[in-house]
């Protein structure tokens, strides 16, 4: 997608240097940083310079590639795998990505490993863009149906967190259908959940939509149910960090509450799920998906933004000391999900539905 009119991806290689956007500073500053070592990649993921399940996966692959370029020995490969695997627990794309890397260099001569991994990471980025583009096309068809019933009136979409292009390599998952619909001339408007504590909606989704010219309104995390009760939401589109083989969806904390409100108000609730966000080994999302718990003191207790003089500051609104708790994800049981939008089409959130699209996983 475009930033200040220039095409950008979230991760790319310049010469032989891997570059990413430091998403912690958006929307205030567009800072590009380099990943030259395994530690750079680990810290980028753990400190959320990059975030969003597909973007984490793409970064992990390049993390394996730079680690192996620096030292192609078996011991370094194992260290790189374990280090990256431990950098964030919930998004399954991370493990998927490093498993792909291990498969690609299994039994390969040390001198050839780095080239293979760099080629794999580049291909994964292109594949990710293609998957997200397909999700956009399938999701747009749903928006087309709604637009037809509304006869040119605005189509209101609610989204949570950031599942736009900065959460992937390009296009995004949940925002991809919106970009496709907007590009085709549809009258769309996006309700953007602020998404505390890290405000991925207010900071990142709003920034993306603003850059692309898509109409949007940032709302507090508590507003969605009220808007749905008043007929102001036509469809919810969200992303996923891990979807079980049975269709339970783990996504940013607060997704579950939006699904409940959507269910109660007959608002269709769709999850945009590329296949590398599906964990085919898991059946019960509530019992099995590891939920990341981050520092409440740092993330709930403090918030960063620009003050009236334009200076970036961290401020707190709480008594010192205040107790905090910061579970970063929740699980939406499949019964609340209208459908999963994948790169191969749309299905209901069920094992049978997923296997109909991905029979090779049966
Ligand atoms: O903690 P984050 O910002 O990595 O969480 C991101 C989300 O929950 C996204 O909705 C999810 O990764 C889907 S991204 C296409």
């Amino acid at each position: 997608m475009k930033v200040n009119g220039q095409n950008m991806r979230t991760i790319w290689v310049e010469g032989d240097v891997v570059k990413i956007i430091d998403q912690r500073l958006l929307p205030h500053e567009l800072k590009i940083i380099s990943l030259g070592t395994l530690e750079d990649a680990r810290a980028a993921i753990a400190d959320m310079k990059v975030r969003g399940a597909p973007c984490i996966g793409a970064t992990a692959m390049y993390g394996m590639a730079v680690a192996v370029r620096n030292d192609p020995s078996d011991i370094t490969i194992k260290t790189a795998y374990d280090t990256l695997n431990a950098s964030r627990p919930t998004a399954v794309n991370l493990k998927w990505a490093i498993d792909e890397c291990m498969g690609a260099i299994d039994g390969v001569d040390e001198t050839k490993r780095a080239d293979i991994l760099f080629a794999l990471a580049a291909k994964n980025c292109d594949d990710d863009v293609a998957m997200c583009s397909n999700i956009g096309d399938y999701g747009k068809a749903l928006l087309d149906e709604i637009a037809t019933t509304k006869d040119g009136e605005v189509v209101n979409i609610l989204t949570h967190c950031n599942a736009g292009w900065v959460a992937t390599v390009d296009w995004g998952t949940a925002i991809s259908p919106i970009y496709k619909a907007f590009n085709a001339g549809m009258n769309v408007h996006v309700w953007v959940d602020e998404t505390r504590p890290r405000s991925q909606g207010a900071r990142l989704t709003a920034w993306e939509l603003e850059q692309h010219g898509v109409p949007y309104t940032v709302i507090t995390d508590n507003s969605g149910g009220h808007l749905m009760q008043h007929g102001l939401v036509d469809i919810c589109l969200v992303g996923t960090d891990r979807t079980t083989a049975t269709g339970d969806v783990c996504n940013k904390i607060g997704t579950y509450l939006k699904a409940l409100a959507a269910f109660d108000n007959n608002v269709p609730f769709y999850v945009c799920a590329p296949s590398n966000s599906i964990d085919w080994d898991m059946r019960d999302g509530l019992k099995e998906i590891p939920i990341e718990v981050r520092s409440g003191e740092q993330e709930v207790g403090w918030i960063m933004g620009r003050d009236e003089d334009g200076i970036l500051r961290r401020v707190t609104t709480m008594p010192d000391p205040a107790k905090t708790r910061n579970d970063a994800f929740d699980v939406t049981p499949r019964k609340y999900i209208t459908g999963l939008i994948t790169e191969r089409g749309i299905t209901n959130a069920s094992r049978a539905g997923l296997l109909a699209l991905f029979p090779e996983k049966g």
Side-chain angles (χ1 to χ4, degrees):
M1 305 302 288
K2 285 194 166 51
V3 179
N4 302 326
Q6 302 284 326
N7 274 323
M8 271 196 104
R9 285 183 173 188
T10 53
I11 185 162
W12 67 99
V13 179
E14 247 174 70
D16 60 359
V17 183
V18 181
K19 304 268 184 177
I20 58 166
I21 302 169
D22 186 345
Q23 298 189 22
R24 297 170 309 173
L25 298 175
L26 291 172
H28 310 295
E29 194 185 320
L30 181 67
K31 185 176 174 194
I32 311 296
I33 52 176
S34 305
L35 305 180
T37 63
L38 171 63
E39 173 52 23
D40 290 345
R42 186 208 64 78
I45 296 169
D47 301 342
M48 295 180 66
K49 293 170 192 162
V50 293
R51 30 64 54 205
C55 186
I56 290 170
T59 306
M61 267 199 188
Y62 274 115
M64 290 290 289
V66 293
V68 169
R69 180 169 64 192
N70 295 342
D71 174 4
S73 67
D74 287 348
I75 181 81
T76 291
I77 291 169
K78 176 156 184 357
T79 305
Y81 183 93
D82 292 343
T83 303
L84 291 165
N85 198 26
S87 58
R88 280 194 84 188
T90 300
V92 73
N93 305 58
L94 194 160
K95 183 161 185 310
W96 172 86
I98 56 180
D99 281 343
E100 290 284 303
C101 290
M102 296 303 265
I105 53 174
D106 187 27
V108 168
D109 187 83
E110 281 193 4
T111 56
K112 300 197 173 114
R113 290 174 178 174
D115 285 348
I116 288 174
L117 289 183
F118 271 98
L120 181 70
K123 179 178 179 308
N124 169 62
C125 285
D126 291 343
D127 290 350
D128 193 77
V129 177
M131 278 196 286
C132 288
S133 174
N134 282 354
I135 286 173
D137 292 335
Y138 287 117
K140 175 182 172 286
L142 286 177
L143 298 180
D144 282 337
E145 281 171 28
I146 295 170
T148 308
T149 66
K150 296 199 81 176
D151 205 17
E153 249 183 74
V154 65
V155 175
N156 285 301
I157 303 128
L158 183 142
T159 193
H160 190 69
C161 193
N162 171 264
W165 74 267
V166 292
T168 62
V169 176
D170 205 352
W171 279 114
T173 57
I175 308 297
S176 181
I178 300 171
Y179 286 134
K180 297 262 178 171
F182 175 81
N183 291 350
M186 191 187 293
N187 184 7
V188 289
H189 166 260
V190 188
W191 298 112
V192 177
D193 277 354
E194 182 187 17
T195 320
R196 280 282 286 145
R198 293 187 68 101
S199 306
Q200 287 96 327
R203 293 191 303 108
L204 303 174
T205 306
W207 177 74
E208 281 193 22
L209 295 172
E210 181 74 44
Q211 288 285 333
H212 202 76
V214 180
Y216 68 92
T217 306
V218 178
I219 53 176
T220 61
D221 290 325
N222 305 324
S223 306
H226 167 75
L227 296 178
M228 290 183 215
Q229 286 174 322
H230 288 273
L232 294 169
V233 180
D234 294 303
I235 186 170
C236 298
L237 293 176
V238 299
T240 174
D241 286 81
R242 191 183 296 239
T243 292
T244 64
T246 54
D248 293 336
V249 166
C250 183
N251 192 49
K252 181 54 55 190
I253 192 85
T255 303
Y256 168 56
L257 289 177
K258 292 301 137 70
L260 285 182
F263 193 76
D264 192 42
N265 290 284
N266 291 318
V267 172
F269 187 93
Y270 282 89
V271 176
C272 298
S275 56
N276 52 15
S277 295
I278 300 169
D279 188 333
W280 298 99
D281 295 328
M282 284 193 181
R283 302 278 173 125
D284 185 330
L286 274 175
K287 289 199 184 127
E288 292 177 271
I289 298 177
I291 301 292
E292 177 177 24
V293 179
R294 298 184 64 87
S295 163
E297 203 176 299
Q298 289 298 316
E299 296 187 355
V300 183
W302 293 84
I303 189 163
M304 190 184 78
R306 267 198 204 292
D307 70 14
E308 285 165 338
D309 299 322
I311 297 169
L312 274 184
R313 285 190 201 283
R314 290 184 82 230
V315 295
T316 186
T317 53
M318 297 185 187
D320 178 19
K323 278 202 182 133
T324 54
R325 179 174 166 139
N326 189 18
D327 303 69
F329 297 93
D330 62 24
V331 173
T332 301
R334 53 189 169 273
K335 66 181 171 188
Y336 297 119
I337 297 166
T338 314
L340 302 172
I341 308 176
T342 77
E343 73 272 20
R344 290 198 193 164
I346 302 179
T347 182
N348 56 352
S350 70
R351 180 161 169 75
L354 280 169
L355 285 180
L357 289 181
F358 299 94
E360 71 276 19
K361 301 292 181 185

